[in-house]
């Protein structure tokens, strides 16, 4: 509920869904519908509002009375959403094999598709898959907006489609790629150690800064929720968070600064010939065989390299 109120719908909706699986309370369905609606998944939200209203009919009169306010909201929101829900009609070609499966999905799990009738879907990106018996699946991506009505003519892959390969019909232009010096090009163990120490040092300083910020951010919460050595639950949680984050910050800063010091010493004491800037850079290019795919046999690919000083 805290995630829902803060607008963190991608975190709140899965937790509400899991909560309802564990304990099928109608109120949880209402909040799940509310979460999906705020996330923009209005077709899914309408479905959950319907499920909530159906669940109310199985409650006792006193329980229904407790849900009266939410029931009114659910009815109003369900009616308002109906006009905004996009609907898509899916059609298979007449040549599609009997028993071809059609499913669609967005962020949710794939669901079977009813063919030939307008199907309510959530706005945004959607995927639909056709899968004939014994044949390869074929996926199709499409987008739909609020209130939009679409008709999508599906296609079905043939048994041999998965063996086809797309090839370039012209050679690729060489693409310059600058590569850092490798160990084989003269990088010493000192240079490698300097890179490692520098990376560890930066990571330690960043981690220490984050943990320090967490510690400082709890002070105001502690001051507001603690009086005369007594703290409420929020204050106790803030004290616990600060107690955990403070030593992490100190240790991370210590490790980070120490590692950065090691990196600086290694850099300053490095022999002159191995300094950065004197190592060669490699420029890499590639080209594909200009001949089209033929006969099912692999063609050649070539890669070239030249040194730039």
């Amino acid at each position: 509920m805290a995630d829902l109120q803060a607008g963190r719908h991608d975190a709140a909706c899965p937790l509400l869904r899991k909560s309802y699986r564990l304990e099928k309370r109608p109120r949880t369905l209402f909040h799940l519908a509310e979460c999906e609606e705020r996330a923009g998944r209005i077709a899914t939200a309408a479905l959950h509002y319907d499920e909530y209203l159906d669940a109310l009919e199985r409650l006792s009169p006193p329980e229904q009375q407790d849900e009266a306010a939410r029931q009114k909201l659910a009815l109003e929101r369900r009616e308002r959403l109906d006009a905004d829900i996009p609907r898509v009609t899916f059609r298979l070609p007449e040549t599609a094999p009997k028993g071809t499966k059609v499913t669609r999905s967005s962020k949710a799990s794939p669901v079977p598709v009813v063919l030939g009738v307008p199907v309510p879907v959530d706005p945004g990106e959607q995927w639909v898959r056709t899968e004939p018996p014994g044949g390869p699946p074929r996926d199709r991506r499409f987008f739909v907006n609020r209130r939009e009505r679409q008709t999508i003519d599906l296609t079905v892959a043939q048994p041999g489609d998965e063996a086809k390969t797309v090839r370039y019909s012209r050679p690729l232009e060489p693409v310059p790629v600058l590569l850092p010096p490798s160990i084989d090009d003269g990088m010493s163990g000192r240079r490698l150690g300097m890179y490692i120490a520098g990376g560890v040092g930066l990571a330690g300083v960043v981690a220490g800064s984050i943990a320090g910020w967490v510690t400082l951010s709890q002070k105001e919460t502690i001051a507001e929720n603690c009086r005369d050595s007594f703290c409420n639950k929020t204050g106790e949680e803030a004290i616990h968070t600060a107690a955990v984050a403070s030593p992490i910050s100190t240790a991370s800063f210590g490790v980070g600064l120490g590692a950065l010091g090691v990196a600086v010493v290694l850099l300053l004491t490095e022999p002159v010939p191995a300094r950065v800037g004197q190592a060669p850079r490699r420029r890499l290019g590639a080209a594909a065989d200009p001949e089209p795919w033929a006969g099912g046999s692999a063609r050649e690919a070539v890669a070239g390299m030249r040194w730039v000083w």
Side-chain angles (χ1 to χ4, degrees), residues 157-212:
Q158 300 301 315
D161 285 353
E162 73 275 18
K164 293 183 179 179
T165 304
V166 178
R167 295 281 298 222
Y168 288 101
S169 60
R170 59 183 179 84
L172 296 174
E173 296 295 332
V175 180
V177 180
L178 294 180
L179 304 177
S182 67
I183 296 177
D184 293 338
D185 294 329
M187 179 185 291
S188 64
R190 180 185 296 272
R191 171 64 62 83
L192 182 61
M194 181 190 70
Y195 288 155
I196 294 174
V200 172
L202 289 176
V205 171
V206 171
S209 300
I210 294 174

Side-chain angles (χ1 to χ4, degrees), residues 8-301:
R8 296 186 289 268
H9 308 120
D10 288 341
C13 294
L15 291 175
L16 286 166
R17 198 174 296 113
K18 181 178 179 181
S19 176
Y20 183 72
R21 285 199 302 267
L22 296 174
E23 186 177 359
K24 297 189 181 301
R25 300 174 59 190
R27 184 179 304 182
T28 308
L29 268 179
F30 174 85
H31 292 307
L32 177 57
E34 188 177 35
C35 183
E36 296 287 2
E37 180 182 2
R38 293 182 184 180
R41 296 184 284 270
I42 55 178
T44 304
L47 174 63
H48 291 317
Y49 279 130
D50 287 340
E51 292 173 337
Y52 166 74
L53 294 170
D54 289 340
L56 293 184
E57 298 179 0
R58 297 188 291 271
L59 298 181
S60 64
E63 291 174 325
Q64 291 179 351
Q65 185 62 33
D66 291 340
E67 294 293 322
R70 274 183 287 273
Q71 181 183 22
K72 182 180 178 181
L73 278 176
L75 289 168
E76 293 173 352
R77 292 175 180 176
R78 179 64 181 87
E79 184 177 358
R80 185 183 68 246
L81 287 176
D82 193 61
D84 289 340
I85 296 174
R87 287 172 170 79
V88 179
T89 302
F90 299 95
R91 298 189 304 197
L92 276 175
E94 295 181 357
T95 56
K98 185 177 180 180
T100 297
K101 293 170 52 180
V102 183
T103 56
R104 65 174 182 85
S105 65
S106 54
K107 289 187 176 180
S109 301
V111 295
V113 167
V114 179
L115 299 173
V117 298
V119 177
V121 298
D122 290 321
E125 181 187 59
Q126 297 279 345
W127 288 86
V128 61
R129 164 173 288 192
T130 57
E131 190 169 1
R138 172 169 290 178
D139 294 324
R140 177 172 174 178
R141 182 189 187 198
F142 66 96
F143 292 85
V144 62
N145 300 315
R146 285 176 178 250
R147 302 194 174 196
E148 188 175 359
R149 303 293 185 265
Q150 281 193 32
T151 297
I152 295 182
D153 292 316
L154 303 171
T155 58
V156 180
Q158 300 301 315
D161 285 353
E162 73 275 18
K164 293 183 179 179
T165 304
V166 178
R167 295 281 298 222
Y168 288 101
S169 60
R170 59 183 179 84
L172 296 174
E173 296 295 332
V175 180
V177 180
L178 294 180
L179 304 177
S182 67
I183 296 177
D184 293 338
D185 294 329
M187 179 185 291
S188 64
R190 180 185 296 272
R191 171 64 62 83
L192 182 61
M194 181 190 70
Y195 288 155
I196 294 174
V200 172
L202 289 176
V205 171
V206 171
S209 300
I210 294 174
W213 175 83
V214 171
T215 303
L216 293 175
S217 66
Q218 302 304 312
K219 287 187 175 181
E220 184 177 353
T221 303
I222 295 172
E224 293 176 352
N225 294 274
C226 296
R227 296 288 185 276
D228 299 327
S229 301
F230 174 79
C231 299
N232 58 21
K233 184 178 179 180
T234 302
E236 291 177 352
E237 291 177 351
I239 291 174
H240 176 73
T241 301
V244 172
S246 179
I248 293 176
S249 175
T250 303
S252 298
F253 268 120
V255 173
L257 294 176
L260 287 176
V262 172
V264 171
V265 171
L266 291 174
L267 176 63
L268 294 178
T269 59
E270 183 182 22
V272 174
R275 291 298 176 91
V276 175
Q278 293 185 351
R281 297 177 299 168
R282 290 176 293 180
R283 190 176 300 270
L284 190 65
D289 179 15
E291 297 183 18
W293 177 262
S297 60
R299 295 292 180 178
E300 294 180 352

